[in-house]
Amino acid sequence: MIVILNGERTEINNNTSVLALLDSKQIAADTVVVELNKEIIPSDTFCNTMLNDGDHLEVLRFVGGG
Amino acid sequence: MSEDLFELGGRKFNSRLLSGTGKFADDSIIPAVCEASGSEIITVALRRVDLESKTDNVINFIPKHMQLLPNTSGARTADEAVRIARLARAMGCGDWIKIEVISDNKYLLPDGYETAKATEILAKEGFIVLPYVNADLYIARSLVDAGAAAVMPLGSPIGTNRGLQTREMVRILIEEISLPIIVDAGIGRPSEACEAMEMGADACLVNTAIATACDPVTMAKAFGRAVKAGREAYLSGPGAKHRQAMASSPLTGFLSED
């Protein structure tokens, strides 16, 4: 199935959780905040939040800024 | 002089210099910059993770004792700023947020109306809201009503290093607004930060001037000292100005007098 990850169409397996997706992209879960279809996903639910075809995910982290 | 702490958002700080973390050639210099400046409040931004090139998390370079101040840079509307603020809080780094709402890409001037809307929403949600705005009395008053913790007028456009171009308007804000006034954006030299503090500003936020200096650590130290010097000058109450000379030495008792 396809999800939109940070604006990019991304193919993932069925039954993929937010945590599994982050792992597959080598993103440390404790360094990011995730928004799924414009809803903030608490980090302690990454492992049991399952993704669906067409979902929009934003994965963000802090960077340098003024 | 008695202890002069900077009270903001329910906390007390020794330093009145806020630091930014943008534009450093290498983020690993940030700890040394923080130590040299003495700053205790530091800004960060929130961005999409770059899936192609792994970069270090800037948080790793920020000393633990510092108050994090995420900004909403990238927001063009109040709704976008609110969304970013909530995301920043979800990162578990506290309730402080610097509101930036900008849709003008040439001068990066802040949208006061959208900023006030975002401030009102976020203040009601318990955020410590520090809005970046033009040096405008009416906007500042709307921010007071909206529940802001401070008002952050620009000295000149972001990243220009052009100094305190808005000094007369900032002076009016200092005079008329009861909240802390933190001069943000455009300060390019320590002397300009010192001037803002001499005028009675409560604090200054500096990023570009330090980050783009040839020696950021020494420049950070200079800014820390300048802000402190300006504050002490303000508290000391500078003497009056006169159009004509006023002798510093007594005008009597000269050798030639009979």
Side-chain angles (χ1 to χ4, degrees), chain A residues 5-7 25-27 31-33 35 38 40 58-66, chain B residues 21-22 43-45 47-49 51 54-55 57-59 71 83 86 91 98 100 207:
Chain A
L5 174 60
N6 286 358
K25 299 293 180 185
Q26 298 177 303
I27 298 168
T31 66
V32 297
V33 61
E35 199 183 56
K38 296 196 173 179
I40 297 169
E58 297 287 343
V59 180
L60 305 110
R61 70 162 45 125
F62 285 129
V63 299
Chain B
T21 54
T43 59
V44 290
R47 289 291 182 275
R48 283 174 166 170
V49 172
L51 301 169
K54 298 289 178 284
T55 53
N57 188 344
V58 72
I59 298 294
N71 69 34
R83 183 179 170 193
R86 290 171 179 162
M91 291 286 288
K98 172 184 162 184
E100 279 187 49
N207 188 160

Side-chain angles (χ1 to χ4, degrees), chain A residues 1 6-7 12 15 17 20-21 26 29 36 39-41 45 48-49 55 59 64:
Chain A
M1 63 183 183
N6 286 358
I12 62 171
N15 300 316
S17 68
L21 176 60
Q26 298 177 303
L36 174 59
E39 294 284 331
I40 297 169
I41 306 299
T45 66
N48 55 20
T49 300
D55 277 348
V59 180

